[in-house]
Amino acid sequence: MQIYLPIAEMSVNLFFLVGIGAAIGFLSGLFGVGGGFLLTPLLIFSGVPAPVAVSSVTGQVVAASTSGALSYWRRGGIDLQLAGFLVLGGVVGSFVGVWIFSLLRQVGQLDLAISMGYLIFLGFIGTVMLIEAIRTLIRNRSGAARTRRKPGQHTWFQGLPLRMRFKQSRLYLSVIPIIAIGAVIGVIGSLLGIGGGFILVPALVYLLRIPASIVVGTSLLHVLAVMAVTCVLHAVQSQSVDALLAFSLMVGSVAGAQFGASAGQFLRGDQLRALLALLVLGVAARFGASVLIDPADPFSMAVLRFGETI
Amino acid sequence: MAARVLLALLFALVAGGVALAQGVVTATSDPTIRVQSTFTGETITLFGNIEPDAAGELPPGPYDVVVVLRGPAADRVVRQKSRQLGLILNSDFALYQSLPSFYRVLSSRPLSALADEEVLEAHALTLEGLADRALAETTGTADTFDAELVRLMREEGLFATDPRGVQFLSPTLFSARVALPANVPNGSFLARTIVFSNGEVVAQRASRFFVRTEGFERFLAESARDTPLLYGLATVLLAIVTGWLGGVLFRR
């Protein structure tokens, strides 16, 4: 069944959209990530204009993280105070990101910037994740004891001012690194159309030592809030949010996520992380090809609108 | 539908109630094309008849007919990718201002057999000529970009020529069928009919019709443009409700 996407200005098969939504939802449930970093590239590679793909996926990420955040909220797995500071930084970051987005669109290098962004960012994250996962796999196999950091150990930003007590996380730390992390994820997320949960979680765990019981729920709430703001900003600034596209994807992914979460229980954590790392590297490689290999068609055409100039 | 319009047209011609100053009368099968959500394309049929002038004399035949459909104009930019510092970057560009977003040239014979290059150019019947006229500025070679623009527009189904698109039903009565693709732009379309005889234009006529998307899609596209803030907030609300519903439905 064909549906006409009014903003993307193309006819697409509805089952194709719901299908990829479900597939991404399955993977996001399996790995506990939002799935934006897979969905946006998939849409771009299937012919949806890059600006529309990036902006519309923000809507889908909101839906995906809402159902996740709700279940963590019921279990008390969200530190609202911590989430507040993260979101504060995230909103500032998403304003900056959307501004860069429309600037790049005006100079005609948005497609390149998105490809390069994905290549560098996913390439880096994927490599780090893969090394980490392989190390864990080897360590688990050899049966060596894990060296844990001692609780008394300090990192340099623990000495930063504006310290605050976070009761639920049982931490006493400066709000500066929290806001900074939120802002960085906000910029990246609004530029590339990803929630950023899969970087936020390790950042909170390794840099700020947020307890594992709190970290996933809090990061989901951050992604939800920042992506909601980004979605509205994209709608106002570049008018490239396709609500019909976003809705078709949401329906698929919300359903798919449930099956993914069930399937995830049959795989070990380190195996899951290795698989996810390979997936991330695969997407990065696909973008690398588009930036480094001569294109089949060097010419492209675009309609100028909304007072765009060259 | 088409048969009904044809009959109506024939009746009008026989009854002689049509003003025939321009030597050709035309009618389209549908003055307004509505684009629905399941829109995969629509066919519009144009009928025409070559008429005698005020003195009751037909222009000398045999005739060739060209039908040109022109959609609403937009500014377009064509960009060329090239390797710089080892990376594939957009480099040269060409800006086309007020370029029709939709253009069809249908004729009863191949255009080259129909009239001279100059006559064709003067009536904007070649796509390259159309592109060149809209070219506002370029950093590269105009001819290269014109050709690439025409190729890209053809690939998107927005530009096309059909050298057998006009059929004669009798020596003076003809019809032209145009398939409008799913990505046809919204707005006012101009249909020009030009009658050639021995390489000369002997009659022409223009008529308008409208293409508009309807229903939910039109509403969405308009709200995205006119009330972007509300549209963005509504999208977010929709996402939150969908996510919440999903969480409730699949709660274990």
Side-chain angles (χ1 to χ4, degrees), chain B residues 175-187:
Chain B
S175 76
R177 277 168 67 83
V178 187
L180 300 179
N183 58 345
V184 64
N186 263 3

Side-chain angles (χ1 to χ4, degrees), chain B residues 215-229:
Chain B
F216 189 57
E217 289 70 27
R218 178 185 171 84
F219 170 73
L220 273 187
E222 281 182 353
S223 357
R225 196 183 57 233
D226 302 336
T227 53
L229 182 63

Side-chain angles (χ1 to χ4, degrees), chain A residues 244-256:
Chain A
L244 209 57
L245 171 62
F247 183 66
S248 314
L249 296 170
M250 279 173 214
V251 171
S253 74
V254 165

Side-chain angles (χ1 to χ4, degrees), chain B residues 156-169:
Chain B
E156 297 214 358
L158 298 173
F159 278 10
T161 51
D162 185 353
R164 304 266 173 232
V166 177
Q167 269 96 38
F168 274 96
L169 309 171

Side-chain angles (χ1 to χ4, degrees), chain A residues 5-221:
Chain A
L5 303 175
I7 308 297
E9 291 179 344
M10 58 193 289
S11 284
V12 189
N13 194 316
L14 178 64
F15 298 116
F16 169 72
L17 286 184
V18 175
I20 62 170
I24 299 298
F26 180 82
L27 292 175
S28 74
L30 186 64
F31 297 123
V33 293
F37 77 97
L38 290 171
L39 194 48
T40 308
L42 208 56
L43 290 178
I44 293 174
F45 298 145
S46 37
V48 175
V52 178
V54 167
S55 315
S56 307
V57 165
T58 58
Q60 186 274 338
V61 173
V62 169
S65 40
T66 301
S67 47
L70 268 176
S71 71
Y72 278 95
W73 174 252
R74 286 194 212 102
R75 284 179 242 159
I78 295 180
D79 186 337
L80 277 183
Q81 195 188 357
L82 180 65
F85 283 107
L86 280 173
V87 170
L88 183 71
V91 169
V92 174
S94 79
F95 266 94
V96 174
V98 171
W99 176 71
I100 299 175
F101 185 89
S102 43
L103 207 69
L104 286 168
R105 196 177 181 186
Q106 275 181 17
V107 297
Q109 300 294 0
L110 181 61
D111 289 10
L112 173 82
I114 290 175
S115 297
M116 284 299 285
Y118 267 102
L119 172 63
I120 295 170
F121 181 67
L122 293 186
F124 175 72
I125 299 284
T127 310
V128 170
M129 279 166 71
L130 191 63
I131 292 171
E132 164 73 20
I134 289 173
R135 266 194 199 147
T136 321
L137 279 172
I138 293 171
R139 204 184 296 133
N140 286 355
R141 200 145 295 174
S142 62
R146 286 186 70 174
T147 48
R148 283 191 166 275
R149 269 182 225 163
K150 292 180 189 86
Q153 242 172 346
H154 285 270
T155 43
W156 61 268
F157 47 72
Q158 245 124 347
L160 288 170
L162 290 172
R163 291 219 258 176
M164 197 175 260
R165 194 164 297 284
F166 292 90
K167 285 199 194 92
Q168 200 166 2
S169 305
R170 298 206 190 85
L171 283 172
Y172 183 61
L173 46 89
S174 164
V175 299
I176 293 173
I178 303 178
I179 294 176
I181 290 175
V184 170
I185 310 272
V187 174
I188 297 172
S190 51
L191 262 182
L192 302 183
I194 57 182
F198 71 106
I199 358 157
L200 185 55
V201 171
L204 291 178
V205 170
Y206 292 121
L207 300 178
L208 302 182
R209 313 262 171 76
I210 309 291
S213 59
I214 300 286
V215 74
V216 178
T218 306
S219 103
L220 276 172
L221 184 62

